[in-house]
Amino acid sequence: MPTELPRDIHRIAISTSGGDAPGLNAVIRGVTKAAILKHRWEVVGLLNGLEGLVDTTRTVQLGLEQVRGLLSRGGTVLGAASHGNPFSRSVVKDGQAVVEDLRPLLVKNFRYLGLDALVCIGGEGTMKIAAMLGEMGIPVVGVPKTIDNDLAGTELTFGFHTAVQTAMEALDRLQTTAASHHRVMILELMGRYAGWISLMAGLAGDADIILVPEIPFDMQEVVDTVLRRNRRGASFSIIVVAEGAREKEGDLHVLRHATEGTYANERLGGIGGWLADRIHEQTGLECRSTVLGHIQRGGSPIAFDRILATKFGVKAVGMIAKGRFNHLAVLENGEIVARPFSEVVDREKNVDPDGQTVRYAERLGINFGRLNREVRI
Ligand code: F6P
């Protein structure tokens, strides 16, 4: 049921927040084209997250011409905001640093710009912000984005499969060097606290060991797997490790801690190098670690993500037309449907350590840093 009665819509805005992901521009294009062609609405782009609601000059008019050629382009033409708090800012008043509440300004400028609805494209943090905008009286709908694929409530987020493809191609390249030099090659991948990118890229890229946050690993098991492979004549091993993976009883590898009062998350990383040193110490084998980093976020979206992003964009427009605010478009059983923000906020979607993909991988002899219950090789 619609949360509100359909209202007269003339002008809508789009904002992109959080880390970029391949397909963001495809959503911007999908929203803009459907809004103009189907409904004859005007479309405005807010620059750098919600900056356009703080300073109304930080906006751009989006027409068919502005979105031409965007389907295949990586990044976001609107710019993103992944840190800071959009609802407050520090200002100096009478020589004193004070925190200014920006919420009244955001609402005032939303009206000043003549907007009737807002499409927020982003991950879990953005959906939380979108839910708060809804509480402030701004009619808002969401589109789920993240290469990590960790957003609850949707089977997939756009950008994920492109990141997996990029990681798989990196693994294909590492395979040949690993084989030529008889080395242990480690690839550290993104994903925050979820192992989706590592699991899928590891499977597609023929990894021997995959370490994900959902299965804290036993270092001895990792070392034994590498040694067993050597004894069996495999002179090299390929290990995929998620940035959020950690040893049993061990800590996360954190490069920078979260900043309180902002939306700046802790920055993970470093486990690949750490693992290379440990394996070398315990086996004497030559180990190298590669951190794929932001390469996973860049580049042109693959066909799947272009299509998913486009469908999400068209759905967002349909949701606005029906007055279905405070909802985001999600993929469910292959269909794009609307779900309330409350179903995704403060939740996370993780790899099931005993799910089909992990079990099937184990049947192929892939080790997850735990005793392989499917096959022993
Ligand atoms: O959420 C997407 C993501 O790329 C994570 O996989 C990674 O931990 C994080 O963003 C990196 O963020 P930043 O670009 O701010 O360093």
Side-chain angles (χ1 to χ4, degrees):
M1 288 296 289
T3 47
E4 284 180 31
L5 287 176
R7 63 178 71 199
D8 254 4
I9 305 286
H10 301 286
R11 196 168 150 86
I12 66 166
I14 310 175
S15 90
T16 53
S17 305
D20 66 338
L24 274 169
N25 282 325
V27 182
I28 295 169
R29 171 183 174 271
V31 170
T32 304
K33 288 193 79 169
I36 293 173
L37 297 175
K38 167 90 180 142
H39 299 285
R40 304 198 179 281
W41 299 339
E42 277 182 63
V43 185
V44 172
L46 305 180
L47 298 181
N48 305 322
L50 294 177
E51 212 174 275
L53 290 187
V54 178
D55 171 356
T56 54
T57 65
R58 308 294 290 147
T59 54
V60 286
Q61 191 75 26
L62 292 172
L64 297 180
E65 203 177 310
Q66 283 72 29
V67 299
R68 199 164 294 139
L70 279 196
L71 186 56
S72 59
R73 207 187 309 168
T76 161
V77 288
L78 295 179
S82 54
H83 307 307
N85 183 339
F87 299 116
S88 65
R89 68 177 165 197
S90 291
V91 286
V92 177
K93 262 191 191 151
D94 305 327
Q96 294 274 321
V98 289
V99 176
E100 185 187 2
D101 183 357
L102 290 176
R103 286 172 298 181
L105 182 66
L106 300 182
V107 175
K108 187 176 129 218
N109 282 340
F110 182 83
R111 294 201 185 111
Y112 172 80
L113 288 168
L115 297 171
D116 301 302
L118 171 64
V119 180
C120 283
I121 313 170
E124 192 269 337
T126 302
M127 294 310 132
K128 206 179 272 178
I129 291 168
M132 286 166 80
L133 291 170
E135 281 167 22
M136 287 154 51
I138 293 180
V140 59
V141 299
V143 171
K145 163 244 61 162
T146 167
I147 62 159
D148 305 336
N149 196 36
D150 59 351
L151 204 83
T154 182
E155 278 155 25
L156 285 170
T157 45
F158 69 85
F160 167 64
H161 274 300
T162 303
V164 170
Q165 180 79 17
T166 304
M168 180 201 75
E169 285 164 12
L171 283 169
D172 287 350
R173 288 167 200 275
L174 291 176
Q175 290 277 356
T176 51
T177 302
S180 306
H181 291 268
H182 317 295
R183 285 176 179 165
V184 177
M185 296 297 260
I186 298 168
L187 182 65
E188 178 182 312
L189 296 175
M190 283 186 166
R192 225 179 273 282
Y193 311 110
W196 294 109
I197 301 177
S198 294
L199 174 62
M200 298 307 182
L203 257 180
D206 198 8
D208 305 300
I209 298 174
I210 302 175
L211 304 176
V212 293
E214 293 84 350
I215 309 174
F217 61 89
D218 179 343
M219 194 63 220
Q220 197 55 50
E221 190 61 45
V222 173
V223 167
D224 288 349
T225 303
V226 169
L227 291 175
R228 262 197 312 269
R229 282 180 50 77
N230 271 48
R231 279 200 300 275
R232 282 187 16 251
S235 69
F236 69 92
S237 291
I238 296 285
I239 303 180
V240 170
V241 60
E243 61 179 4
R246 59 187 171 83
E247 201 184 356
K248 262 189 200 164
E249 327 287 343
D251 291 326
L252 273 176
H253 288 249
V254 178
L255 293 175
R256 191 205 58 203
H257 290 281
T259 320
E260 226 176 288
T262 73
Y263 283 76
N265 296 310
E266 65 184 353
R267 194 185 301 154
L268 303 176
I271 190 163
W274 177 89
L275 198 61
D277 290 346
R278 294 291 88 69
I279 296 174
H280 174 68
E281 275 164 23
Q282 295 186 41
T283 64
L285 295 170
E286 213 182 332
C287 301
R288 292 286 192 280
S289 162
T290 303
V291 181
L292 197 57
H294 292 83
I295 305 274
Q296 290 155 99
R297 293 229 303 252
S300 183
I302 60 168
F304 181 88
D305 281 333
R306 293 184 195 190
I307 295 164
L308 183 62
T310 300
K311 285 166 90 175
F312 276 151
V314 174
K315 179 70 181 181
V317 168
M319 285 157 65
I320 292 173
K322 288 186 181 143
R324 210 161 170 76
F325 299 114
N326 300 317
H327 281 62
L328 75 160
V330 299
L331 181 69
E332 204 177 276
N333 301 322
E335 288 283 300
I336 313 290
V337 298
R339 286 277 171 255
F341 289 140
S342 56
E343 284 190 16
V344 305
V345 166
D346 289 328
R347 290 176 61 200
E348 202 175 278
K349 184 180 69 196
N350 285 97
V351 169
D352 178 356
D354 299 309
Q356 189 183 57
T357 311
V358 172
R359 280 189 290 111
Y360 281 16
E362 286 187 319
R363 280 180 210 175
L364 301 174
I366 295 174
N367 188 280
F368 285 85
R370 68 178 179 187
L371 192 70
N372 187 335
R373 290 163 299 178
E374 297 287 331
V375 292
R376 195 76 186 147
I377 52 167

